[in-house]
Each structure stands twice: as structure tokens, then as C-alpha cells.
């Protein structure tokens, strides 16, 4: 499959998910994004368009634990993100996997954030 077709099918997957997943003030959207080197996660209230809680592997507290974009780094980030969200008063979220399969690093992030207290 050529690169243009891969990108097109991923964009379609992202929009198909986003049609169904919407963040509300009572249940914000937990969006996760993976770049080649880093992981970014944020809770978003789509009604107002505000980010309520955010954390990435670039932040100071996560850089001390080591870097990476692998399953272990995703699990550490998910655990810390869950703790941070619970401290901010967020317990219920809607999970937006941003067009990726619920497998590997995405699954590790989700499981770790559930252990920290978030409910999907």
C-alpha cells in the first residue's frame, strides 16, 4: 500500500471515531497521540474547546523517568496521567485512540490510567 493511501485510510479512521466520541464537561475526551519519539495525552472539553489536563513524555516530570515511545513509557505516562486527572477532579472520560488500534502502547496507556483511577 502506498503512503498516500495509508494516510488517507488513517484520516478516515480518525474521523469515523471522532464522529462518535465527544468530550463533555462531565465526561471529557481523553485523546492520546504518538509521534515517532514522544507520547502526548490530554483531556479535552469539546463543548468549550478547552484542555483540562495534559501530559506528555516531554514534560519535566516524565523526562526524569526516562524517554521513549514504547509500551513501558506509555504505561508510565498513563499511570501519571491518571493520577493527575483524578487530582483535577476528572474520573470519567471517553477514550479517543486517534485512529490507532487498541493494542500495544495504546492498551498499556489505557490499562495504566484505569489502575490510577480513571473510568472509560
Amino acid at each position: 500500500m502506498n503512503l498516500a493511501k495509508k494516510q488517507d485510510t488513517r484520516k478516515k479512521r480518525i474521523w469515523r471515531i471522532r464522529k462518535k466520541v465527544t468530550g463533555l464537561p462531565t465526561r471529557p475526551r481523553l485523546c492520546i497521540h504518538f509521534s515517532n519519539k514522544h507520547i502526548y495525552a490530554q483531556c479535552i472539553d469539546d463543548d468549550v474547546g478547552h484542555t483540562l489536563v495534559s501530559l506528555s513524555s516531554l514534560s519535566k516530570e516524565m523526562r526524569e523517568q526516562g524517554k521513549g515511545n514504547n509500551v513501558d513509557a506509555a504505561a508510565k505516562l498513563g499511570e501519571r496521567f491518571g493520577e493527575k486527572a483524578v487530582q483535577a477532579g476528572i474520573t470519567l472520560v471517553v477514550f479517543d485512540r486517534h485512529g490507532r488500534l487498541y493494542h500495544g502502547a495504546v492498551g498499556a496507556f489505557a490499562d495504566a490510567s484505569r489502575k490510577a483511577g480513571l473510568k472509560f
Side-chain angles (χ1 to χ4, degrees):
M1 185 183 307
N2 64 7
L3 185 61
K5 179 136 173 104
K6 273 187 184 180
Q7 290 173 343
D8 189 42
T9 55
R10 181 148 188 265
K11 284 180 185 177
K12 286 179 183 177
R13 221 177 311 131
I14 289 169
W15 283 109
R16 189 169 55 238
I17 292 169
R18 283 287 290 125
K19 276 193 305 189
K20 302 171 189 170
V21 175
T22 306
L24 303 172
T26 56
R27 192 169 181 160
R29 176 170 55 101
L30 169 56
C31 183
I32 185 167
H33 173 72
F34 290 85
S35 71
N36 287 337
K37 292 185 180 181
H38 298 287
I39 306 169
Y40 307 90
Q42 56 185 348
C43 277
I44 304 166
D45 177 7
D46 287 323
D47 283 348
V48 186
H50 287 287
T51 300
L52 306 174
V53 179
S54 67
L55 187 68
S56 72
S57 59
L58 284 171
S59 64
K60 188 175 182 179
E61 58 193 281
M62 294 307 296
R63 272 187 283 155
E64 296 166 355
Q65 295 181 3
K67 33 182 171 167
N69 186 8
N70 55 13
V71 176
D72 296 332
K76 289 177 187 175
L77 186 79
E79 184 178 342
R80 181 64 189 117
F81 185 82
E83 294 168 0
K84 196 172 177 180
V86 169
Q87 287 175 358
I90 299 169
T91 55
L92 291 173
V93 294
V94 179
F95 190 56
D96 179 9
R97 52 194 168 86
H98 204 66
R100 296 176 66 102
L101 293 175
Y102 190 89
H103 175 73
V106 175
F109 177 87
D111 292 340
S113 58
R114 277 194 187 105
K115 285 181 186 175
L118 285 180
K119 294 179 185 172
F120 294 17

